[in-house]
Amino acid sequence: MMTLCLQMTRWDEILTLPVQNPTILEFSAADITWSMVEGWKDSMDRLALIPFSRVGDFVRGESNNKACPTRFHVEARRRRSPTMTCKPKVDGILEYILYWCSFGPDDYRKGGAVRPSRSSCGKRKTPAGRPNTKRGCVCHFIVKRLIAEPSLALVIYNHNKHVDKKGTPCHGPMDKMAVGTKAMFAPYISDELLLEVMSLLYVGIPVETIMQRHTEMVEKQGGPSNRDDLLTHRYVRRLERKMRRSVYELDDDDAVSMNKWVENNQDCVFFYEDFSDNDTFVLGIQTDWQLQQMIQYGSRSLLASDSKFGTNKLKYPVHSILVFDQQKNAIPVAWIITPNFTHGEIHRWMGALYDRVRTKDPTWQLGGFIIDDPLTDVRTIREVFQCPVLISLWRVRHAWHKNLMSKCSDFERRSMMSKRLGEAISSICRGNGDIELFQAFLEDFIDCSGFVDYFKALWFPRLGAWTGVLKTNPLATAEVASAIERYHHLLKLRLLNEADESIYQRADWLVHKLGTKVHSYCWLDEFSGKDSFSRYWRSEWKTGPNPWQQGLQIPDSDIVIEGNCARVVCQKHKDKSHAILNPGSELALCDCSWSRKGNLCKHAMKSAKVCRDRGLAPPSLALLRYYQALANVVHCPPNDSVICDHAIAVAVSVRTQLDALLSATNGSSPDTSLFKGPQSTSDNEPRELDVQEANIENGSEVPADEDSDEDSPACKKRKPRGPSDEDEIATATQVSEAESSQATSLRELDRCQDSPAPQERVRRETSDGYEGTAVMEISDDEEETAAAQITQPSESENSQATCVQEIDRNQDSPARQERGGR
């Protein structure tokens, strides 16, 4: 009875321990606070509770110990079925794993002890543990997954020193006998080097070239300093042989082969459901490298969706989730494979993707999600990621552009049709048009039967959904469209390049190639040392910046605008130039080879930027929708006066900093005209949004540190919103586009004197690499009107974020006093 009471007391103390989940990708014992709990035979156990899903991160972090690098292997494991008929005990174990340092527990040194079971067993084809590395290390820890808390792992780490049974260091820098041997380093190469070698092999780099570059790097740094520097030609050759012998067809039956692939690759599968009576097949793939990219570039930033790749060729289309790196290139961070007719069921896998990221980094929060299909389940995205949803027109523009070039041979007619389509989209986004614009377009160009028939058959049934989403959702910029379009093109080159097209009807081939070759090319895109292998360049490689970045490198002097046509001097051959029809339009046409394929080219984007800078074209639709959203949000009354007070304080502080910055850079007084309040309009005139553009000298823009994400409300998790709030979320999104590197747009909201506006709110959210600034200026000496000044920074960034700052004026108004009384 006494023993039972002590046991219950022990487990009560264990289950009340805090669950520790460090916010770093990999963590070790030094990052955890350990607790001492009484164990068996009056001993004290050193233990801690962590999420079971992060046990692998703890093992990798503990293996990468700089003081004593090593690798931990599973020495023993026991599992119990989660479904049991008997009543579970409080100390019941669902899974037991014993991790031991790979330099132990056996000792193959002279005079060392070896377990009898190891010496008597026969020789295996693949011996476990490398006997020559066994040096009797006693460092090990135990992981227990409890029945009472299956989501938690109890880590018992009593032997945390890398010593032998005598208590002396047996490997690593502290072992004097290990100096000059491999025992100084970890027994295996790191996962990063293994990924690098495998990726280089998959993209076609020979073994000899890989070893030559590696040897040159080691010699350059003065000799080996870690285990990765001891990479051997034999090991790389063995990896290359393993790669060549790998096959995708694990079974003649495609479904059985898929199940086997999922069982063999559990680490890179975040969601899987097979066909059933109620649901269809869904497979979500995300490797560790993709998860790291999602955490690094997706936090406080954007995710984008390429939802319909391979719908005409593949058995199961590929849905890609993308992030954008520092150069604004798209990186796939997840692939979802599902039948075409289940495209809209994203609620089945999106929660699993979000939970996987949040498990790795609990502070991860998304800034915005970009969709490319109006039928996408927007409500699910908002509920899961708690962020605004934007729509990208890249798929519509690409399809229309491509078919105009192929189905309409008349040059002048093609120009007129593209202009009409661009005007129709612009009118709908501005709220001045509907689907009737496209009906009039079909009637006016009935003689162009090729494109008109295509438009009626494929696009006219979808225009209702597109029109609705364009009126309610913010728009993504051309920079985002260019990045997604380029990724789509590269994925086509890397995936759909098989000689036998019948192979496209097998799902096991698809997942195998995505996880091997396509993944390797994506890794190579971000590899800083890929220039060393440029002699093996292929068309599948991504080289240079995206078309948007290339367009920014074209000097303005090389742009000549003549009416409805623009000329851009070719940067490679200065004696040639490219003609752009309808510059500044959403559907501009260029005569370059990249544009003929329906893509956004650097010439069209540069000419559009120059037209807008010179006032020859209106602002982009993305920027216009931001102004409309900001004007609508300003009039939304806040629910809490405390929020208003805080917003006013923040706005005044930001305004003071901007005044000081401008006065310091321009040499003028802080009372610059840029921040003067707008003049009130006549009583009989309605409130309008007066857009004025002012050029500011170089250096007068707001620096990034003054618009950081740490102080932004975008870092705060918002409450779920119902259907009635969806429009408010969407209209609260700020979208800035890279249109001018030295120009800043000043937006003034006229004040309405008739209707009191005691409460005004501007919601502001920013994301890394996608920034915008909203500054509200409040005049205390006016009681019935609120002056708002919104300063938009240079549109050189592809920011797709939301401005949220709430401002309540007229502190002496009755409404304010009533709230204060409550």
Side-chain angles (χ1 to χ4, degrees):
M1 189 65 181
M2 180 65 68
T3 303
L4 180 61
C5 292
L6 292 176
Q7 182 178 359
M8 293 300 295
T9 303
R10 164 185 165 85
W11 283 104
D12 288 342
E13 187 175 355
I14 290 175
L15 294 177
T16 56
L17 293 176
V19 180
Q20 303 181 58
N21 190 9
T23 58
I24 53 180
L25 297 179
E26 296 177 356
F27 60 97
S28 63
D31 302 314
I32 295 179
T33 302
W34 298 90
S35 302
M36 303 301 295
V37 178
E38 185 177 357
W40 304 108
K41 298 182 180 179
D42 297 332
S43 62
M44 300 298 292
D45 287 337
R46 183 172 175 262
L47 46 82
L49 285 177
I50 63 173
F52 185 79
S53 57
R54 301 212 63 188
V55 170
D57 299 332
F58 174 74
V59 174
R60 286 190 292 269
E62 192 65 13
S63 300
N64 296 331
N65 186 2
K66 294 182 179 180
C68 192
T70 183
R71 184 68 64 88
F72 284 87
H73 66 274
V74 177
E75 183 70 18
R77 184 195 295 266
R78 293 194 301 269
R79 288 191 179 97
R80 178 179 294 178
S81 175
T83 58
M84 296 177 296
T85 57
C86 59
K87 183 179 180 180
K89 299 180 181 180
V90 67
D91 59 344
I93 298 174
L94 196 61
E95 188 170 358
Y96 171 94
I97 310 175
L98 172 61
Y99 288 95
W100 208 291
C101 175
S102 293
F103 288 97
D106 297 322
D107 190 356
Y108 283 88
R109 297 177 299 180
K110 185 177 181 179
V114 181
R115 290 171 293 178
S117 60
R118 300 298 180 182
S119 59
S120 61
C121 65
K123 184 178 181 181
R124 299 173 57 186
K125 183 178 179 180
T126 56
R130 292 189 180 183
N132 58 328
T133 65
K134 301 296 183 179
R135 303 174 70 87
C137 184
V138 299
C139 180
H140 66 276
F141 58 89
I142 300 172
V143 175
K144 294 183 179 181
R145 188 179 187 182
L146 306 179
I147 297 178
E149 294 289 347
S151 62
L152 302 181
L154 175 64
V155 182
I156 305 175
Y157 206 170
N158 293 330
H159 302 274
N160 61 332
K161 304 295 183 182
H162 292 274
V163 296
D164 55 16
K165 292 183 178 180
K166 299 179 181 179
T168 59
C170 54
H171 65 93
M174 301 298 295
D175 183 12
K176 297 181 180 179
M177 300 298 296
V179 176
T181 66
K182 291 184 178 180
M184 285 188 61
F185 312 113
Y188 308 99
I189 65 173
S190 63
D191 295 337
E192 291 78 10
L193 181 60
L194 178 61
L195 175 62
E196 177 182 338
V197 173
M198 290 299 295
S199 299
L200 293 175
L201 290 174
Y202 272 117
V203 300
I205 308 299
V207 176
E208 290 74 13
T209 304
I210 295 176
M211 288 306 305
Q212 179 183 356
R213 299 294 188 273
H214 182 79
T215 304
E216 292 174 356
M217 182 192 67
V218 174
E219 292 177 353
K220 186 177 180 180
Q221 69 182 15
S225 59
N226 53 49
R227 180 61 183 84
D228 289 348
D229 295 339
L230 302 177
L231 182 68
T232 61
H233 187 280
R234 180 182 178 184
Y235 182 77
V236 179
R237 179 65 67 182
R238 187 163 65 246
L239 292 178
E240 190 263 346
R241 185 167 56 250
K242 178 182 177 181
M243 180 199 70
R244 284 189 289 104
R245 293 177 178 177
S246 63
V247 294
Y248 68 86
E249 193 172 349
L250 304 179
D251 192 272
D252 294 336
D253 189 348
D254 191 26
V256 176
S257 181
M258 278 292 300
N259 289 331
K260 290 183 178 180
W261 186 92
V262 171
E263 292 177 0
N264 298 335
N265 298 271
Q266 286 291 332
D267 293 341
C268 59
V269 175
F270 71 88
F271 185 85
Y272 176 66
E273 284 186 3
D274 204 349
F275 284 101
S276 63
D277 296 337
N278 300 324
D279 294 320
T280 56
F281 163 81
V282 177
L283 174 63
I285 302 174
Q286 186 182 58
T287 64
D288 289 338
W289 178 81
Q290 289 178 313
L291 179 59
Q292 295 174 7
Q293 302 304 304
M294 186 173 181
I295 293 175
Q296 179 179 358
Y297 296 115
S299 182
R300 318 297 180 194
S301 187
L302 295 173
L303 286 185
S305 171
D306 181 12
S307 59
K308 293 183 178 181
F309 178 85
T311 53
N312 298 327
K313 289 189 176 182
L314 297 177
K315 178 181 180 180
Y316 298 139
V318 179
H319 186 159
S320 302
I321 303 298
L322 312 173
V323 295
F324 304 95
D325 61 8
Q326 296 176 350
Q327 288 74 35
K328 305 300 180 292
N329 294 316
I331 306 174
V333 294
W335 290 303
I336 297 88
I337 302 171
T338 183
N340 192 21
F341 55 85
T342 61
H343 166 68
E345 298 183 3
I346 63 174
H347 64 274
R348 297 172 57 189
W349 53 265
M350 186 159 288
L353 179 63
Y354 177 77
D355 293 340
R356 180 181 174 93
V357 180
R358 292 279 294 185
T359 300
K360 199 82 168 182
D361 184 5
T363 63
W364 188 89
Q365 187 66 35
L366 188 62
F369 196 100
I370 302 173
I371 61 176
D372 63 349
D373 188 350
L375 301 180
T376 304
D377 190 354
V378 176
R379 183 185 300 274
T380 297
I381 297 175
R382 286 172 177 161
E383 290 178 353
V384 172
F385 289 105
Q386 297 294 315
C387 68
V389 179
L390 298 87
I391 182 73
S392 176
L393 290 172
W394 83 269
R395 191 177 297 278
V396 176
R397 193 214 56 78
H398 178 85
W400 292 358
H401 188 170
K402 181 179 179 180
N403 284 273
L404 271 175
M405 301 297 293
S406 61
K407 300 181 184 299
C408 183
S409 57
D410 189 348
F411 182 81
E412 295 294 335
R413 205 67 172 165
R414 185 194 305 161
S415 174
M416 295 173 60
M417 294 174 70
S418 65
K419 184 177 181 180
R420 282 286 297 275
L421 288 173
E423 291 175 351
I425 293 178
S426 179
S427 298
I428 292 173
C429 293
R430 297 172 189 272
N432 301 328
D434 211 326
I435 195 173
E436 290 80 7
L437 295 173
F438 296 103
Q439 295 175 349
F441 165 80
L442 296 177
E443 295 175 358
D444 295 342
F445 296 96
I446 192 65
D447 54 333
C448 300
S449 58
F451 182 81
V452 169
D453 293 342
Y454 156 79
F455 194 86
K456 284 183 178 180
L458 292 182
W459 286 100
F460 202 77
R462 312 177 190 176
L463 291 179
W466 274 104
T467 301
V469 76
L470 289 178
K471 290 182 177 180
T472 57
N473 286 68
L475 295 182
T477 62
E479 186 175 4
V480 170
S482 175
I484 300 176
E485 193 173 63
R486 190 186 192 192
Y487 163 77
H488 190 90
H489 173 74
L490 289 173
L491 184 59
K492 185 180 298 184
L493 292 178
R494 296 166 177 176
L495 189 61
L496 303 179
N497 56 3
E498 300 293 336
D500 183 11
E501 294 189 358
S502 62
I503 202 174
Y504 296 154
Q505 300 305 312
R506 289 195 64 96
D508 53 359
W509 165 85
L510 177 61
V511 298
H512 179 266
K513 191 163 186 179
L514 283 175
T516 54
K517 279 196 174 182
V518 176
H519 183 273
S520 299
Y521 278 116
C522 296
W523 174 89
L524 184 67
D525 293 341
E526 303 298 316
F527 180 45
S528 59
K530 69 177 181 180
D531 293 339
S532 302
F533 308 96
S534 58
R535 60 179 294 188
Y536 302 98
W537 182 89
R538 299 182 180 182
S539 59
E540 293 88 347
W541 288 34
K542 182 181 71 175
T543 57
N546 58 35
W548 177 269
Q549 300 291 337
Q550 294 176 18
L552 294 180
Q553 297 174 4
I554 300 176
D556 293 352
S557 58
D558 289 348
I559 312 296
V560 178
I561 300 176
E562 300 174 352
N564 196 37
C565 180
R567 287 281 177 180
V568 180
V569 177
C570 181
Q571 300 303 298
K572 293 183 179 180
H573 307 283
K574 292 294 185 178
D575 56 336
K576 299 181 180 180
S577 63
H578 297 281
I580 297 93
L581 299 177
N582 308 320
S585 171
E586 297 298 325
L587 211 64
L589 303 179
C590 181
D591 61 357
C592 67
S593 59
W594 181 250
S595 180
R596 290 196 193 101
K597 299 177 182 179
N599 301 310
L600 273 170
C601 69
K602 57 183 179 182
H603 313 106
M605 288 185 284
K606 179 62 178 183
S607 61
K609 177 181 179 296
V610 172
C611 287
R612 288 162 184 160
D613 290 345
R614 298 177 182 177
L616 303 177
S620 64
L621 293 180
L623 200 59
L624 175 68
R625 290 304 303 272
Y626 160 65
Y627 295 145
Q628 292 176 348
L630 192 60
N632 294 334
V633 173
V634 163
H635 303 290
C636 296
N639 298 323
D640 193 349
S641 61
V642 176
I643 298 178
C644 302
D645 296 339
H646 176 72
I648 291 174
V650 172
V652 172
S653 175
V654 172
R655 185 265 176 99
T656 304
Q657 296 178 29
L658 292 175
D659 285 345
L661 177 65
L662 289 175
S663 63
T665 55
N666 296 338
S668 60
S669 61
D671 189 16
T672 176
S673 60
L674 178 63
F675 293 98
K676 290 183 180 179
Q679 300 297 327
S680 59
T681 59
S682 175
D683 295 345
N684 298 327
E685 295 180 357
R687 176 186 295 265
E688 297 178 350
L689 179 65
D690 184 15
V691 180
Q692 300 178 357
E693 307 219 357
N695 292 330
I696 303 179
E697 297 294 334
N698 293 338
S700 62
E701 298 175 359
V702 182
D705 57 350
E706 293 199 16
D707 193 21
S708 63
D709 292 326
E710 297 178 357
D711 298 331
S712 171
C715 301
K716 301 179 181 178
K717 186 174 181 180
R718 288 171 288 172
K719 298 180 179 179
R721 293 170 171 84
S724 61
D725 294 322
E726 292 181 0
D727 294 339
E728 179 182 348
I729 303 174
T731 56
T733 304
Q734 171 185 355
V735 183
S736 65
E737 181 178 5
E739 294 180 345
S740 174
S741 60
Q742 296 182 353
T744 305
S745 297
L746 177 64
R747 313 299 181 229
E748 299 183 355
L749 298 178
D750 294 340
R751 293 169 287 178
C752 183
Q753 297 181 356
D754 286 342
S755 59
Q759 304 168 346
E760 296 184 355
R761 178 178 62 180
V762 173
R763 174 166 295 175
R764 174 179 177 275
E765 293 186 14
T766 61
S767 59
D768 293 345
Y770 301 80
E771 301 178 1
T773 306
V775 179
M776 300 299 298
E777 179 178 356
I778 303 301
S779 176
D780 293 332
D781 56 351
E782 300 177 358
E783 298 180 355
E784 296 182 359
T785 59
Q789 287 186 335
I790 297 95
T791 302
Q792 177 73 20
S794 133
E795 301 173 354
S796 59
E797 298 268 340
N798 169 32
S799 62
Q800 307 285 336
T802 315
C803 268
V804 182
Q805 289 188 5
E806 303 188 322
I807 298 182
D808 184 9
R809 274 205 82 263
N810 299 331
Q811 301 182 2
D812 298 331
S813 64
R816 178 65 178 266
Q817 295 175 0
E818 182 180 357
R819 288 199 308 272
R822 287 200 298 267

